[in-house]
Amino acid sequence: MADDSIPTLALPGGSILQFFVMTIPLFGVYCYFLYLAITRPSIADPDNEAFYEPRIRLTDILYVYLTTWVLYAVLVIYMLWFVTKRRRLSKRYEKEGIVILGDVQYEDEDRWLVNCLFRKHDYGYVIYDLEKVASHPACDYKGPLEGKIRKKVRVYHRFPREQVSILVIPQYPYSGQPKTDLEADWASFSETYLVSEGYNEAADNNRGSIQKVMSRDRSLGIILISLGWLAFLLFASVFVCLQIDEISDVYQDESSYWAWTIFIIVMAGVTPVVAIGGNLIRW
């Protein structure tokens, strides 16, 4: 059995395929909604028996399309902007970081709801002496550095550690991150990455001889799939609005003016605010 202290540095190679397959049922439902929009004008006639049957309003279908559009827009902005900035910052540690010794505190709270909502199990605390940073030959920070710092950081190795390597960017003495956790992060977006010496000794028998981890950098595939969804949702939303134009005189609960108004508000207002503003807050 694998040791829980060994992080999974890379997801299986089929992760993009899994992401794609998981969206297929949703795509099927949305294609059915599109079919309803295509056929709705043909039954928009009081003399047609199908006119009186229960139906899904095209306006409701438009709401669904636009809501999904916003969610995928958030994902694309996150992948293009937030992930890129995070990776650039992470690589600065690899190129510029100095090494000092410190501790990592981690408490595994057995509260699955809190962990799912806030990802608290992904975070721990790093503690190190600022005087060690100041005494390092590469540190060029001009201000006073005294005492210890305790800060919340992202961790991949979910267990407490003492006297481990902490990487600090010299210009920012409060930027300490556990080295082994940063290595796991680098592995997540590199072609291959050589893990630290000693990692294999801690690994279980199934992975004990592995010297490199495969990349899990699948952001391009996720972006392409998401862009495909955005294109489909944009086309579908415009088409539904056009179909509402044709039937708004027949169905009193369908309004062409309202449909186009909601479409413009979501595209020009809600999407930039939520997609960009949400990612700014997250950063």
Side-chain angles (χ1 to χ4, degrees):
M1 182 177 295
D3 189 341
D4 290 337
S5 66
I6 306 299
T8 301
L9 297 185
L11 297 175
S15 296
I16 294 178
L17 180 60
Q18 293 169 7
F19 177 72
F20 175 73
V21 169
M22 285 190 298
T23 64
I24 290 178
L26 184 64
F27 182 72
V29 173
Y30 283 18
C31 286
Y32 172 69
F33 289 162
L34 196 59
Y35 166 76
L36 293 180
I38 293 172
T39 59
R40 186 58 51 84
S42 65
I43 64 173
D45 182 357
D47 294 331
N48 191 322
E49 293 183 0
F51 178 82
Y52 301 99
E53 295 180 357
R55 60 185 171 82
I56 300 175
R57 290 196 315 154
L58 295 190
T59 303
D60 293 332
I61 294 175
L62 179 64
Y63 293 157
V64 173
Y65 283 156
L66 292 178
T67 301
T68 311
W69 160 275
V70 172
L71 294 177
Y72 271 104
V74 171
L75 177 60
V76 169
I77 297 299
Y78 173 84
M79 298 299 295
L80 289 175
W81 180 72
F82 179 87
V83 171
T84 301
K85 289 178 69 69
R86 183 185 68 82
R87 290 179 177 181
R88 189 179 300 119
L89 175 61
S90 182
K91 296 300 283 186
R92 283 194 66 183
Y93 283 91
E94 182 182 18
K95 296 177 180 178
E96 306 174 19
I98 59 177
V99 179
I100 63 171
L101 294 180
D103 300 333
V104 178
Q105 290 183 347
Y106 181 80
E107 296 180 2
D108 189 7
E109 300 182 11
D110 189 18
R111 295 185 294 174
W112 67 269
L113 182 59
V114 174
N115 287 333
C116 288
L117 293 177
F118 303 103
R119 306 292 298 176
K120 293 192 68 173
H121 60 294
D122 287 341
Y123 295 88
Y125 292 90
V126 63
I127 303 172
Y128 59 93
D129 195 335
L130 290 172
E131 294 178 357
K132 292 182 179 179
V133 180
S135 62
H136 195 284
C139 180
D140 54 3
Y141 186 75
K142 304 303 181 183
L145 294 174
E146 298 178 351
K148 290 188 175 182
I149 180 175
R150 180 178 184 267
K151 54 175 284 190
K152 192 174 185 179
V153 295
R154 174 73 181 267
V155 295
Y156 288 81
H157 299 261
R158 298 172 181 170
F159 59 93
R161 288 158 275 166
E162 294 182 355
Q163 295 300 291
V164 295
S165 296
I166 306 296
L167 280 178
V168 181
I169 298 176
Q171 298 91 335
Y172 304 98
Y174 301 96
S175 63
Q177 300 276 345
K179 184 173 183 290
T180 53
D181 297 284
L182 281 171
E183 288 173 341
D185 193 43
W186 299 332
S188 72
F189 53 84
S190 301
E191 290 300 324
T192 55
Y193 191 83
L194 185 63
V195 298
S196 297
E197 183 179 355
Y199 175 86
N200 289 316
E201 285 74 4
D204 59 277
N205 293 332
N206 293 329
R207 289 166 31 209
S209 61
I210 295 177
Q211 292 293 326
K212 293 183 177 180
V213 293
M214 294 299 295
S215 168
R216 66 174 184 183
D217 182 12
R218 298 171 178 86
S219 57
L220 178 59
I222 294 175
I223 290 172
L224 291 177
I225 294 173
S226 300
L227 289 175
W229 266 98
L230 288 177
F232 168 77
L233 292 167
L234 178 61
F235 162 77
S237 298
V238 171
F239 182 77
V240 169
C241 288
L242 293 173
Q243 294 298 87
I244 292 176
D245 281 344
E246 293 190 28
I247 66 171
S248 58
D249 293 336
V250 180
Y251 292 102
Q252 299 302 314
D253 56 355
E254 305 276 19
S255 170
S256 174
Y257 174 79
W258 175 251
W260 284 111
T261 301
I262 289 297
F263 176 81
I264 293 173
I265 290 175
V266 170
M267 292 297 169
V270 176
T271 300
V273 170
V274 175
I276 298 176
N279 279 292
L280 279 173
I281 295 173
R282 180 69 177 85
W283 177 253

